[in-house]
Amino acid sequence: MEIGNITTVTEFVLLGLSHNPQIQEVLFVLFLVVYLLTLTENLLLLLVIRADSHLHTPMYFFLGHLSFLDAFYSSVIVPKLLENLLSKWKTISLLGCFTQIFLVIFSGAAEACLLSVMAYDRFQAVCHPLLYMVTMDRKVCTGLVAASWAVGMGSSLVNTLLLAQQNFCGPNFIHSFVCELPPVLLLACSDSYVSIASILTTVGVLGFGTLVLLLGSYTCIIMTALRINSATGRSKIFSTCSSHVLVVTVFYGSGVFRYMTPASGSVLEQVLSLQYSVVTPLLNPLIYSLKNQEVKAALKRMLARQPRLTF
């Protein structure tokens, strides 16, 4: 659309992962399978937590919200990716792109906060076991989850509104398979200093702020575990927390690096985007269920009850 002598972009073109039709077909099948597995795993974990009274504890309350967030995050990214792999014209409207950016930032920020809340929960359980159920009561847990969602909503709203103030006059090619803030800002014709400062501040405060909380919580947990004389007790503590540490490492390692480095459209950036938007939601429920005896036991109990169900 042309206004005066300025051409205003009304849609973007997502260049995606490959231009080869044969490779696109293979990628379509691959990501479709990954997406279906992601939804199945996360929704199944949600169902198990909901159905089994043994899992009605703060840790699994937070894990249920993490599973929902992972399923939601994957649904923001993968359906459009699948559509573009089969489409000749890989376009997305300006509104659609801004909406996807809003949801991506919301999901990432909320998950960062939720992961730090889960670390705090483990800190209370290990370091203050006698006061755990009093400290982490239903009201506190609900408030922490609500705060995580509110921070995600606020962060995404501020950064998306600032992005919407930018002028886009061309080119309109995004070197990615998804609309994310860094590659879209490269296409802005106006001064994007405020938007860049905003996203760096968001990543700095949320990324490194929550990381400090995580490191502080796990430092205290490790110190407490080392003071326990029983090898079985130490093993139980490390087994409970190791799955969370693995999830945190994968999420922060890819997400923070992606948003803290200048966008260039490189293969590495594509890989990092795939890591935290497609691979991480797939792996999280596997990590928590395979390394968690309580989840596996609850799943067995639920499956054992299935034959006795009548309709």
Side-chain angles (χ1 to χ4, degrees):
M1 183 173 64
E2 189 171 312
I3 303 177
N5 293 327
I6 301 176
T7 301
T8 303
V9 170
T10 58
E11 63 181 16
F12 293 109
V13 178
L14 295 168
L15 296 181
L17 299 170
S18 174
H19 300 291
N20 187 306
Q22 285 75 31
I23 294 178
Q24 288 180 356
E25 291 175 1
V26 173
L27 290 175
F28 176 84
V29 174
L30 174 63
F31 287 119
L32 178 60
V33 172
V34 168
Y35 180 56
L36 293 177
L37 285 174
T38 299
L39 291 183
T40 302
E41 291 170 2
N42 283 287
L43 294 179
L44 179 61
L45 187 55
L46 267 174
L47 180 61
V48 171
I49 292 172
R50 177 84 176 181
D52 197 294
S53 59
H54 296 85
L55 301 184
H56 293 175
T57 62
M59 183 176 78
Y60 294 106
F61 176 73
F62 298 132
L63 182 56
H65 280 271
L66 181 65
S67 294
F68 175 81
L69 197 57
D70 279 337
F72 176 80
Y73 196 8
S74 183
S75 297
V76 170
I77 304 295
V78 182
K80 185 61 180 178
L81 170 60
L82 294 174
E83 177 190 336
N84 285 344
L85 286 171
L86 294 182
S87 301
K88 182 179 180 181
W89 306 107
K90 308 178 189 303
T91 59
I92 183 170
S93 67
L94 203 65
L95 178 60
C97 186
F98 286 176
T99 301
Q100 194 172 55
I101 288 172
F102 175 87
L103 295 175
V104 166
I105 297 175
F106 163 72
S107 302
E111 183 156 339
C113 292
L114 192 56
L115 288 172
S116 64
V117 166
M118 293 174 72
Y120 174 73
D121 170 70
R122 291 299 83 207
F123 160 73
Q124 289 292 345
V126 173
C127 301
H128 305 98
L130 298 179
L131 298 175
Y132 176 61
M133 295 310 297
V134 176
T135 305
M136 302 299 292
D137 61 15
R138 185 75 179 185
K139 184 177 180 180
V140 171
C141 293
T142 303
L144 290 172
V145 168
S148 299
W149 288 85
V151 169
M153 185 68 69
S155 301
S156 59
L157 189 61
V158 169
N159 284 284
T160 306
L161 288 177
L162 288 174
L163 179 65
Q165 306 302 312
Q166 301 294 323
N167 295 320
F168 297 92
C169 52
N172 64 339
F173 297 100
I174 298 176
H175 292 273
S176 182
F177 60 91
V178 60
C179 275
E180 290 185 292
L181 197 54
V184 172
L185 273 177
L186 285 177
L187 305 178
C189 300
S190 51
D191 186 4
S192 57
Y193 172 79
V194 175
S195 288
I196 293 173
S198 175
I199 192 61
L200 289 177
T201 301
T202 300
V203 174
V205 173
L206 283 181
F208 292 107
T210 54
L211 188 59
V212 168
L213 293 176
L214 284 161
L215 293 175
S217 296
Y218 279 105
T219 299
C220 293
I221 289 172
I222 291 171
M223 292 175 64
T224 300
L226 293 176
R227 288 197 296 265
I228 297 176
N229 295 325
S230 169
T232 304
R234 287 197 301 269
S235 176
K236 185 177 180 180
I237 291 175
F238 287 126
S239 176
T240 303
C241 298
S242 60
S243 55
H244 187 218
V245 172
L246 184 57
V247 168
V248 167
T249 302
V250 172
F251 179 79
Y252 276 85
S254 54
V256 172
F257 183 83
R258 176 70 177 90
Y259 277 82
M260 290 297 288
T261 56
S264 61
S266 65
V267 175
L268 177 60
E269 289 179 357
Q270 300 266 33
V271 171
L272 290 173
S273 293
L274 283 172
Q275 173 65 52
Y276 61 75
S277 63
V278 179
V279 179
T280 298
L282 173 69
L283 293 181
N284 280 357
L286 289 176
I287 292 171
Y288 279 109
S289 60
L290 290 177
K291 294 181 67 65
N292 193 308
Q293 296 299 325
E294 291 179 326
V295 172
K296 288 190 285 188
L299 181 58
K300 289 178 181 178
R301 286 193 293 268
M302 188 181 74
L303 294 176
R305 291 195 298 265
Q306 289 299 325
R308 297 196 294 270
L309 292 178
T310 57
F311 295 91

